Each structure stands twice: as structure tokens, then as C-alpha cells.
Amino acid sequence: MRKRKWLFGIVMFFALTLVACNGDEEKASTQEKTYKLKVGYGQLYGAPLADIARAEGFFEDENLEVEMVSFTSGGLDALQADKIDIALTFGTATPLNYIAQGADFKFVGGHMEGGQPVVTKKENASQYKTLEDFKGKKIATIRLGTLDVVFKSALDDAGIDIHKDVDLVEVKSVADVLEAVNSGKVDVGLSNTGHMTKTEALGLTPIFWSNDLSPNDLCCRVTVRGNITGDKAVAYKKFMKGLIRAERVKLENPKKNLEASKPTFKQLPEERVNEIVNEKHLINSADPNKREVINTWKKMQDIGYISDVETINLENHFDLSMYEAALDELIKGNPNDEYYKQVLQRYNEQNLDFK
């Protein structure tokens, strides 16, 4: 009798151990793996939506670890060299220029639109009411900057010859633009978002914004390399899901945007950070806006920035599936949320229904 009880105890011990082990294996198999991304951003713009997504735990919700890497220049070179996974705030025209030169880049989402001013001295501001008023003027610009393309394209559309009717002076930085206008070396400068404090301190003022010249002008796109693997596709979807949620926070609570961005601009005072990330003309949108990317591509051809692109099919440089999947998950998880329905409507209009 004692022997049977002893044997029964051994059998039960191994049975329970087996059940426990199977349970642990099942739990481990159902637990989602952690994905990692290295995201590059330009120091000039920061990374508002990504900063919000990190601060609010949106990436953490997706089991996504995001390492942010800042660049003063060379972010797209780093992307091409596989040193980062995403180039976040490096414009639209610049990655398109890389594509025109053979880079295998793809656009998967958006980040910034508008917010870039054309500036002059306050005492001269009344001279500029229409694009015709720029004829004969010296204009400082940063080649391939967003406003550079938007402004030149607007002049071209207005019938103003950008090679003969205006004198375009290329400089390297926004600081150079402002200095050139302030010193009188040029009449007008094509500036950038986040520099209004310095602009006003120098006695300069905006006369047009990029939004005025092109209501849907694009700045930074979420740009990745073209060979998107299965794991990368999942990670990019999670990243875009975080940005979509962050966009809502930015719209509803700019203060959270400011607080989330402070660590990115830790050397700057709060007022300056707020100026950069909450400029009222600046729009943070995660939407890929394929329609306007294609329009920018056409503008760049019209003003002579890119040529001999007959062999390039721009359609091959979009992959909107990750954004679509991210938005689909958000809508399924929040079926009665009107905000996500509006985001879907915008997506359809800007990416599908414009053809």
C-alpha cells in the first residue's frame, strides 16, 4: 500500500511538472516578440510625433523599442548605408533627389507639413503682396530645402523665370539666410520653421508662409530602404501606429508636445522648443500624402532639379501597406471613434482617390 502511494506521488509530480512546462511554453509562444528600430532625425526639426509616441508609451504598447539618432547632416546617407532603419525629418525633396539618383528608398508615412516663412526686413514688408513683387530681387535660399522647391515652383507657375527674373543666392543654413537678409546682401530669405525669435530679434518678418504658396506643401516623410523584410514590415507598422496616435495628442494637447520634445532639444530654453514644435503654421501629420509627394516630384522636374528620370517609376517608391495596417488596427480597436474615421477619410483622399 505504501509502495503504491509512493509510485502515485512520483507520477503526479512528473505530470504536474509537464503541465507547468507546457503552460510556460504556451505563454512564451503567445507573448509578442520585441521589435527594434533605429530612427534618424534632423537636429533642426526634432521629431515631434516620435517624441510624443515615446513619452506617451505608444511604442511600448506595441513592444517596439525605438532608438533616436540625431543628425546635423547626412541622415539619408546613413539610411542608404543601413546605419539607421528610418529617416524621419529630412524633407521630401531631398529623398526624392536621392531616388532620382538611383537610391532604393520608399515612403511609408509622413511627419511634417508647412510652417516655413519667406522673410524680409520689416520696413520692406509692404513691398511684397504678390509673387510678381519678387521680380528683380535677390533671394537667399537653401538648395533642396522644402521652401526652396515650393517657392521656386510657385514663381514658375506664376510665369516668373527663376533663372532670369530673380537672383537666387544659395547658402548653407538658416542662420546664413537670416544674416544675408539682415545685412542687406539679399532682399528676401527663404527661412525655416522654428526661427521666429531670431527672425524678429533681427528686425525681420515673414511676408509669406510655405502654406500660402502651396496649401499642401510637404516637409518630412517617413523614409525607409526599399528591401522591407517581414520583421521590418511589422516594426514599421508599429512605428506608424505610434505616430498616428501621437498626431492626435499633438492636435488635442500641444503642451504634451512641448513636454515630450524637451529632451530632444535639451540645450534650448522652453520658449525656443515650443517655437520649434508648436509653430501655428506647422502641421504634424503621419499621413503619407502620396498625392503631394508625386506633385513635389513633378515640381522638381519643372524647375530643373531632376531630369532623365524616364527609367524611374515613382510608384515603386511607396509602400503604404504598413500605414494602412496600423490605421486598420486602430479603427478595429476603436470602432466608434470619429477621429480615426476622419484619419481614414484623409488617407483615402490623399493617397487613393486623387488619381
Side-chain angles (χ1 to χ4, degrees):
M1 189 68 176
R2 290 179 182 173
K3 188 175 182 179
R4 284 185 179 179
K5 287 182 178 179
W6 181 73
L7 288 173
F8 178 76
I10 292 176
V11 171
M12 286 300 296
F13 171 79
F14 282 110
L16 290 172
T17 301
L18 183 60
V19 169
C21 290
N22 287 339
D24 289 341
E25 288 176 6
E26 184 177 349
K27 183 178 180 181
S29 65
T30 57
Q31 188 175 26
E32 190 175 1
K33 65 184 287 187
T34 297
Y35 293 82
K36 297 181 179 181
L37 288 175
K38 188 175 288 189
V39 179
Y41 67 93
Q43 287 183 0
L44 181 65
Y45 294 113
L49 294 185
D51 285 339
I52 292 171
R54 288 197 301 165
E56 295 293 308
F58 297 156
F59 293 146
E60 187 177 354
D61 290 345
E62 298 296 317
N63 290 326
L64 178 65
E65 293 182 7
V66 176
E67 178 186 351
M68 303 297 293
V69 184
S70 68
F71 289 86
T72 53
S73 63
L76 290 171
D77 290 331
L79 177 65
Q80 199 164 22
D82 199 17
K83 294 181 179 178
I84 56 175
D85 302 301
I86 292 175
L88 186 61
T89 50
F90 300 98
T92 300
T94 305
L96 283 174
N97 188 53
Y98 272 71
I99 288 170
Q101 296 178 45
D104 186 17
F105 288 166
K106 275 188 167 70
F107 299 109
V108 301
H111 197 267
M112 291 182 180
E113 301 176 8
Q116 305 191 34
V118 181
V119 302
T120 191
K121 291 184 177 181
K122 286 183 180 179
E123 60 266 30
N124 297 331
S126 61
Q127 298 178 23
Y128 303 94
K129 293 182 172 61
T130 70
L131 290 173
E132 288 287 327
D133 297 325
F134 290 97
K135 281 187 174 181
K137 303 298 185 182
K138 272 191 172 183
I139 303 165
T141 184
I142 303 168
R143 184 177 176 83
L144 282 176
T146 297
L147 185 53
D148 177 63
V149 173
V150 169
F151 184 77
K152 289 177 180 177
S153 179
L155 292 180
D156 185 63
D157 289 345
I160 298 169
D161 192 320
I162 62 174
H163 303 290
K164 297 178 180 179
D165 295 334
V166 293
D167 184 4
L168 291 158
V169 180
E170 293 186 359
V171 297
K172 294 183 178 181
S173 69
V174 175
D176 293 336
V177 168
L178 299 180
E179 189 280 328
V181 179
N182 183 51
S183 66
K185 293 177 183 176
V186 300
D187 303 295
V188 174
L190 308 186
S191 186
N192 216 320
T193 186
H195 289 81
M196 284 309 300
T197 297
K198 185 173 182 180
T199 298
E200 292 171 352
L202 291 171
L204 312 181
T205 189
I207 46 178
F208 287 98
W209 288 84
S210 54
N211 315 59
D212 303 320
L213 300 169
S214 176
N216 296 300
D217 79 288
L218 296 184
C219 185
C220 308
R221 301 294 88 195
V222 182
T223 309
V224 304
R225 288 181 304 280
N227 55 332
I228 302 174
T229 64
D231 273 3
K232 276 291 191 293
V234 175
Y236 293 154
K237 177 205 71 176
K238 292 174 177 294
F239 185 78
M240 292 314 306
K241 196 172 178 181
L243 293 198
I244 295 170
R245 294 178 68 189
E247 182 184 344
R248 182 177 197 167
V249 174
K250 164 74 185 291
L251 287 169
E252 296 177 352
N253 195 335
K255 179 67 176 176
K256 284 189 175 182
N257 185 30
L258 170 60
E259 293 301 321
S261 296
K262 282 181 181 179
T264 297
F265 299 101
K266 51 190 169 186
Q267 303 300 325
L268 299 179
E270 181 175 301
E271 296 79 8
R272 180 83 172 86
V273 177
N274 191 58
E275 178 183 60
I276 294 170
V277 301
N278 282 326
E279 160 59 49
K280 64 180 181 179
H281 292 89
L282 175 67
I283 300 166
N284 285 115
S285 169
D287 190 278
N289 205 342
K290 180 179 178 180
R291 177 184 64 199
E292 290 305 319
V293 174
I294 292 173
N295 283 343
T296 302
W297 177 254
K298 293 175 180 176
K299 289 175 182 178
M300 292 175 70
Q301 293 180 68
D302 290 342
I303 62 178
Y305 269 180
I306 54 176
S307 58
D308 303 323
V309 293
E310 290 78 8
T311 59
I312 296 175
N313 183 355
L314 195 60
E315 288 288 332
N316 295 332
H317 295 275
F318 293 93
D319 190 336
L320 309 185
S321 61
M322 284 79 75
Y323 184 92
E324 290 177 350
L327 184 53
D328 183 60
E329 287 183 11
L330 287 168
I331 291 173
K332 285 182 178 177
N334 306 272
N336 299 317
D337 195 316
E338 289 299 319
Y339 175 79
Y340 291 123
K341 293 178 183 178
Q342 293 170 10
V343 173
L344 176 60
Q345 180 180 348
R346 180 186 66 184
Y347 173 78
N348 289 335
E349 292 172 354
Q350 295 187 158
N351 299 275
L352 304 179
D353 299 339
F354 67 92
K355 296 180 181 180

